[in-house]
Amino acid sequence: MRNLCCPAAVLACIFLSLFFSLSLSAQTVVDSTKSGIKSFEEVAAPFIDEPEKLYFHTDRETYLPGDKIWLKGYLSNSSYISETPLSSYVYAELYKDSLISRVKLKMSDKGYAGVIQLPEKMDPGSYILRGYTQNMRNYPKENMFTKRIEILNLGAGEFSVNASFKKPEETASGNDDAKRKTDAANTNTEEAVVKDIDIQFLPESGRYIADRPAKVAFKALGTDGHPVNVHLLLFNSAGKMLGEYSSKHLGMGLISLLSADPVGYYALVTDESGFTKRAELPVVEQSGVTISVNRIKDRINIVAQISAPLKGNTKLIIKNGSEEFYMKSLEKEEISETVHSGSMPYGVNSVQIQNSTGDILAERLIFINRKYRPLIKIEPQKPSYGKREKVELNISLNDTLGGPVMGEFSISVTDSALAPSVPYRENLLSYMELTSELSGEVEDPGYYFENPSAETERYLDLLMMTQGWRHHSKSLKKYKREYFQEISGSVAGLFRKEAKNTTLMIFAPSIKLQQAFYLEKKSTFLLEGLSFPDSTKFLFGVVGRQGGQLYGLKIDAEVFPPLMFASNYTIPQVKKSVIESAVKEQRSISTGEEMRTLKEIVVVAPIKEIFKPKFNPSPFLHTFRKEDIRERDQLSEFDNMMLQDYIVSAFPGLYKENGKLISPRAVTFNGPGEPLLYVDGLQWSSTEMLEQYGMTVMDIENVAFLRGTAGAAFNTINGVILITSRRAGSGILQNKTSTNFARVTPLGYQKNVDFYSPKYEVAKEVNSPVKDLRTTLYWNPSVKTDENGTAKVVFYTGDRDSKMDIRIEGLTKWGEAFVKKGTANREKTKTAGY
């Protein structure tokens, strides 16, 4: 006879029994006076409204489907003086038209280190790697870190670098004919493009005033959105030519005017191909507020002019990030201040004129470069290395006086031909000090730090006049810094019954969490103070004084920021050449005898077919013999049968005794023993729960029984019963009659994964016929220099004879960023490609 007791109520009672019978460490702060759940932040700290900056160093920039992207996150406060603790978790996402992967990285002794596994099948092209913290969601999405990752196409035919992005709805619709037409249109894109030059004229601080000296920066872009060099002729409104000007760097240049003509200007702009267009300069204003900056070596002269009537107190302010470090009231039409660059914070500074209500009337950016940076050396112990040879790199970190510096860095060593380096690419230094402070995309940001000179300083100043500042956006004050993980939800009474005086129970055996909380009159709850890895399963239940049948339980779904899709992005020619070179080299080793590898050998007993179920009931993802598992198509004709009775009939040898299932093969001191029971990956305390819960065959997706030594992974010889419950497609455990419990598997932090690098230490390994054609030869997310400022890195070469590119990015113990590129040579062999 079927048990008519409400399954949810029984489960809740079992929860309470478990909770009070086991002593486990609490991960939540409980305020017993309010009968609620309080967070670490509520107890220890107020809401922190201060932006963070995140950068990811990856082992390389080009990958094949199935590769791993090894990455290390570097997180800092935007404010250069802040001592606010950084977030404990960062997020890394890879996407193109849709999300490919999302991982959560927890701060550890290796920093924010992790890996993204690429699918074996994915379209070639340009993908976006995005990084952020919860705190960064308070600001515009452009403040999140983004980096382009190229997936190479090794298929037959010409290599295509068409990297434009389409909205998901565009890629999901249309038939084959439409797709062929789109592909044909993409193939002929260059032929269809109309020649044009997009040129912007940007007066210093936003405007120029009639009859006063002025500087106007300009920036020219081609139809592909990338900088083009231009030559321009400047005319006044009467058509008189006033001068000739040329772009100096990446399409940027400067026009200097002794006295701005009130009537205005236009220019004839010509690119290197000879294409010419007319472009109007901005209107010359008759009055307003301006800022002019002139630099002579270390002296910066700032002139603020006001030629319009202003009400209230007007101030000249200099800011770095969120910090204001200079302020002076403007009591006359013009003031001049000279500031020594050594007294200003390094990086991007904003000189502003603000009115009494805080509105910015004029702004001019200034970049302050560090004069003295840490010096890092990479010294291979040999001039060149042979096949499968041990490499030792001695690395030293010093200050400009030669003193040792302690620091930590990530290092990648790659095959220079299989993964060629893109010149002047983004790095930790350029991102933290420059591009993270500016709006829009900065072309070749590494150039400004790899080529220190007076000329580079002038180019940097042009960049300051043509890019906007990011720090004008105000915080949403919605997302707090994530020091711990959390799960939220709500409890509702059924049939309009008020939910009060309920008990919420949480069960997560993999992290040894069992808790119960009295909610009193609260309808919502927030479980905070958690720390759990990915794939952690939580089971929630709620009961009142009369059981759980009168209550509904809902767990809030996690919400992530929407993906940002680039429009009409095309790969720069320099990067395109690098990618094509990598494709050519990768293709050369992907065919013929050079890719000989050992094939996986699976030995299968002749009468025991190995079966992989659609929903694996084992928390260890076992494979099963056909006779050890029953799937839904086999279960359906027994749906009205009690589950315990079905298990006994389906798996001979099991029998029922005192409400429990017993395995006669499992003999203990007290006689035959009880098998372990797992439902949806969670261990239940006894098989009698199946009867107490009133479970039928209709409630499950599959059931398996591992006998004897087959259950060794569960540390038992009693056997193991594994069950997958019926699912509603949401990942939350549902029951046709029960609403007062739910199972969730939220995004947890990625467990530590170490980079594998082979060691050729014995003759058998050295002489192995399996070719070692690794692209990334070595990756380490955390190498620390000692008190002498030194560190040693050891790895082994592969079979190819390409030189090895070494890249180091890191921080000193004072937080100064440093970057270093190096190479190690290989001894050339007679066999091509090795």
Side-chain angles (χ1 to χ4, degrees):
M1 179 176 178
R2 180 167 180 167
N3 190 341
L4 298 178
C5 176
C6 172
V10 174
L11 179 63
C13 294
I14 296 170
F15 259 128
L16 285 171
S17 174
L18 287 171
F19 171 68
F20 289 113
S21 64
L22 295 176
S23 176
L24 297 171
S25 60
Q27 299 192 45
T28 308
V29 180
V30 183
D31 183 352
S32 58
T33 62
K34 295 184 180 180
S35 302
I37 305 172
K38 255 197 162 184
S39 71
F40 169 83
E41 288 86 350
E42 290 176 305
V43 174
F47 186 89
I48 298 169
D49 185 20
E50 180 186 320
E52 294 175 306
K53 295 194 291 187
L54 173 65
Y55 169 82
F56 277 127
H57 175 201
T58 58
D59 61 320
R60 45 195 162 105
E61 292 187 310
T62 57
Y63 297 85
L64 297 176
D67 281 351
K68 290 181 173 66
I69 301 176
W70 297 94
L71 47 84
K72 165 71 174 286
Y74 290 90
L75 187 66
S76 74
N77 288 309
S78 181
S79 168
Y80 69 100
I81 63 172
S82 175
E83 296 183 356
T84 303
L86 297 169
S87 296
S88 298
Y89 302 90
V90 303
Y91 297 79
E93 298 170 339
L94 184 73
Y95 63 89
K96 190 181 181 184
D97 297 325
S98 59
L99 183 69
I100 303 300
S101 178
R102 176 183 290 119
V103 296
K104 186 174 186 176
L105 306 177
K106 181 182 179 181
M107 180 62 179
S108 69
D109 58 348
K110 295 182 179 179
Y112 304 95
V115 62
I116 292 177
Q117 175 67 59
L118 297 178
E120 292 291 341
K121 294 183 179 180
M122 60 189 305
D123 294 333
S126 184
Y127 288 71
I128 292 178
L129 173 66
R130 181 171 74 172
Y132 60 91
T133 63
Q134 289 293 337
N135 163 268
M136 294 169 71
R137 297 178 66 183
N138 289 312
Y139 303 90
K141 294 188 292 295
E142 290 73 19
N143 286 27
M144 298 179 181
F145 172 80
T146 57
K147 175 178 182 175
R148 296 193 183 277
I149 297 293
E150 307 300 331
I151 305 301
L152 305 182
N153 177 15
L154 301 190
E158 297 250 356
F159 170 63
S160 170
V161 291
N162 178 15
S164 61
F165 285 74
K166 300 176 183 178
K167 301 269 185 176
E169 61 267 23
E170 295 174 344
T171 60
S173 62
N175 54 32
D176 291 340
D177 290 336
K179 183 180 186 302
R180 282 192 289 271
K181 291 178 182 178
T182 302
D183 291 342
N186 289 337
T187 303
N188 298 312
T189 297
E190 294 185 4
E191 299 175 9
V193 167
V194 177
K195 189 70 175 177
D196 195 11
I197 302 172
D198 176 14
I199 186 163
Q200 292 178 297
F201 293 98
L202 304 153
E204 186 175 26
S205 77
R207 62 177 58 84
Y208 52 156
I209 307 301
D211 301 320
R212 294 198 178 188
K215 289 184 286 187
V216 180
F218 62 86
K219 183 175 184 179
L221 302 176
T223 51
D224 61 357
H226 296 296
V228 293
N229 291 321
V230 294
H231 179 80
L232 61 86
L233 303 177
L234 182 68
F235 297 85
N236 63 16
S237 59
K240 180 182 178 181
M241 191 178 81
L242 304 177
E244 297 184 43
Y245 303 88
S246 297
S247 57
K248 299 299 182 182
H249 179 68
L250 295 176
M252 297 182 293
L254 184 67
I255 299 171
S256 296
L257 302 171
L258 291 177
S259 179
D261 188 336
V263 185
Y265 304 91
Y266 71 90
L268 295 179
V269 186
T270 305
D271 66 13
E272 292 176 327
S273 71
F275 173 79
T276 301
K277 69 176 288 186
R278 173 173 169 153
E280 304 292 330
L281 272 68
V283 174
V284 179
E285 299 184 26
Q286 300 304 308
S287 63
V289 180
T290 61
I291 300 170
S292 176
V293 172
N294 292 287
R295 302 182 67 163
I296 302 175
K297 294 185 178 180
D298 292 335
R299 290 180 299 163
I300 302 173
N301 181 246
I302 302 171
V303 178
Q305 294 181 321
I306 302 175
S307 59
L310 298 175
K311 294 181 180 180
N313 182 27
T314 304
K315 298 175 289 185
L316 176 67
I317 294 172
I318 306 179
K319 303 179 72 174
N320 180 282
S322 58
E323 301 301 330
E324 181 180 305
F325 65 90
Y326 177 93
M327 190 276 289
K328 186 173 183 177
S329 295
L330 299 179
E331 299 175 350
K332 51 185 178 180
E333 288 188 0
E334 179 177 318
I335 67 166
S336 178
E337 291 288 326
T338 299
V339 182
H340 194 279
S341 61
S343 65
M344 299 178 70
Y346 66 87
V348 179
N349 293 270
S350 173
V351 183
Q352 303 174 1
I353 295 177
Q354 293 186 8
N355 62 15
S356 57
T357 59
D359 297 323
I360 299 174
L361 307 178
E363 179 182 46
R364 171 68 151 87
L365 302 185
I366 304 173
F367 187 82
I368 303 298
N369 218 335
R370 286 183 185 268
K371 252 187 175 181
Y372 308 106
R373 294 188 179 276
L375 303 175
I376 186 164
K377 292 183 180 179
I378 305 172
E379 297 178 311
Q381 286 192 336
K382 292 179 59 179
S384 62
Y385 294 89
K387 174 182 173 181
R388 303 190 181 188
E389 185 175 355
K390 185 177 182 180
V391 178
E392 293 186 6
L393 301 178
N394 292 319
I395 299 166
S396 60
L397 184 62
N398 299 92
D399 58 29
T400 51
L401 299 177
V405 174
M406 296 181 68
E408 181 180 356
F409 58 86
S410 45
I411 178 173
S412 65
V413 182
T414 56
D415 184 304
S416 64
L418 295 178
S421 180
V422 177
Y424 305 134
R425 72 185 194 186
E426 186 81 272
N427 57 56
L428 175 61
L429 178 58
S430 65
Y431 185 79
M432 287 298 185
E433 295 191 11
L434 181 64
T435 56
S436 63
E437 300 291 312
L438 302 176
S439 60
E441 191 163 343
V442 177
E443 199 91 6
D444 297 342
Y447 171 87
Y448 303 101
F449 300 91
E450 295 178 28
N451 299 276
S453 67
E455 185 178 54
T456 302
E457 292 292 329
R458 290 194 293 272
Y459 296 162
L460 264 171
D461 201 50
L462 282 175
L463 187 68
M464 295 301 101
M465 295 180 69
T466 56
Q467 300 284 151
W469 200 43
R470 281 191 180 179
H471 291 279
H472 296 311
S473 302
K474 294 183 179 180
S475 170
L476 296 176
K477 297 185 178 181
K478 181 179 180 180
Y479 304 98
K480 56 194 172 187
R481 295 200 176 192
E482 192 175 12
Y483 297 117
F484 297 99
Q485 293 159 282
E486 61 184 40
I487 301 174
S488 63
S490 59
V491 177
L494 302 182
F495 313 111
R496 298 184 180 181
K497 181 178 176 64
E498 184 181 4
K500 60 181 181 179
N501 300 320
T502 57
T503 299
L504 175 71
M505 292 149 291
I506 306 101
F507 182 43
S510 65
I511 59 172
K512 299 182 179 179
L513 172 65
Q514 287 181 217
Q515 290 281 16
F517 301 100
Y518 183 56
L519 298 181
E520 198 174 15
K521 295 183 179 180
K522 291 187 176 182
S523 60
T524 62
F525 60 87
L526 181 63
L527 181 65
E528 296 184 300
L530 295 171
S531 180
F532 55 87
D534 202 22
S535 301
T536 300
K537 297 178 176 63
F538 289 83
L539 190 58
F540 287 79
V542 62
V543 292
R545 293 176 179 175
Q546 298 178 343
Q549 64 269 33
L550 299 179
Y551 301 99
L553 175 63
K554 177 187 175 183
I555 303 299
D556 296 332
E558 295 178 274
V559 179
F560 300 98
L563 303 180
M564 299 182 295
F565 293 94
S567 59
N568 300 323
Y569 169 76
T570 56
I571 298 176
Q573 185 58 45
V574 172
K575 189 173 184 179
K576 179 178 178 180
S577 300
V578 167
I579 295 171
E580 288 174 337
S581 173
V583 168
K584 182 179 179 181
E585 195 71 19
Q586 290 280 6
R587 281 178 175 174
S588 74
I589 67 169
S590 65
T591 58
E593 292 299 315
E594 298 181 22
M595 282 300 289
R596 286 180 293 164
T597 56
L598 292 178
K599 295 182 178 179
E600 180 182 3
I601 299 175
V602 179
V603 179
V604 181
I607 61 171
K608 296 180 179 179
E609 181 183 353
I610 299 299
F611 177 72
K612 292 183 179 181
K614 180 179 179 182
F615 299 105
N616 199 316
S618 169
F620 302 111
L621 302 180
H622 279 83
T623 54
F624 298 87
R625 299 182 304 172
K626 265 287 189 181
E627 61 265 30
D628 292 338
I629 188 168
R630 303 292 185 271
E631 287 283 278
R632 176 98 296 265
D633 57 348
Q634 300 168 281
L635 298 173
S636 57
E637 61 180 300
F638 304 101
D639 275 348
N640 295 321
M641 191 174 182
M642 297 300 295
L643 183 54
Q644 269 199 355
D645 296 336
Y646 175 79
I647 292 173
V648 169
S649 64
F651 302 106
L654 289 173
Y655 63 91
K656 287 176 64 175
E657 184 177 281
N658 298 324
K660 298 180 181 180
L661 296 179
I662 302 296
S663 173
R665 294 190 179 186
V667 180
T668 67
F669 288 111
N670 298 318
E674 181 184 14
L676 298 182
L677 173 62
Y678 280 78
V679 178
D680 293 325
L682 298 176
Q683 184 178 358
W684 288 21
S685 61
S686 173
T687 56
E688 65 182 338
M689 293 176 67
L690 299 175
E691 184 173 284
Q692 293 171 340
Y693 189 30
M695 291 187 71
T696 67
V697 176
M698 186 184 297
D699 297 321
I700 68 170
E701 186 71 36
N702 58 31
V703 58
F705 179 52
L706 301 180
R707 306 169 186 270
T709 55
F714 297 86
N715 197 28
T716 181
I717 61 170
N718 293 3
V720 184
I721 297 171
L722 303 166
I723 295 171
T724 302
S725 65
R726 296 290 292 275
R727 297 168 184 264
S730 63
I732 299 177
L733 179 65
Q734 303 276 348
N735 184 277
K736 60 185 182 297
T737 59
S738 303
T739 59
N740 68 314
F741 72 96
R743 173 184 175 274
V744 293
T745 308
L747 179 66
Y749 63 83
Q750 187 179 74
K751 295 179 181 178
N752 180 55
V753 182
D754 291 327
F755 177 83
Y756 171 72
S757 181
K759 295 181 179 180
Y760 296 112
E761 297 176 332
V762 298
K764 181 180 179 180
E765 295 168 342
V766 172
N767 299 321
S768 170
V770 180
K771 298 302 180 185
D772 183 351
L773 307 177
R774 288 170 292 148
T775 303
T776 299
L777 298 164
Y778 182 75
W779 165 262
N780 193 330
S782 178
V783 180
K784 298 179 176 66
T785 58
D786 58 22
E787 63 276 7
N788 298 315
T790 61
K792 180 180 285 189
V793 167
V794 178
F795 62 93
Y796 287 79
T797 64
D799 291 344
R800 289 171 47 79
D801 60 11
S802 304
K803 74 175 182 179
M804 298 173 285
D805 283 340
I806 305 165
R807 192 170 189 92
I808 285 175
E809 302 188 19
L811 299 171
T812 68
K813 67 176 182 180
W814 301 292
E816 295 178 74
F818 58 87
V819 175
K820 184 67 175 180
K821 296 187 299 183
T823 59
N825 295 320
R826 292 294 309 276
E827 297 172 356
K828 294 295 181 180
T829 62
K830 294 181 180 180
T831 305
Y834 291 91

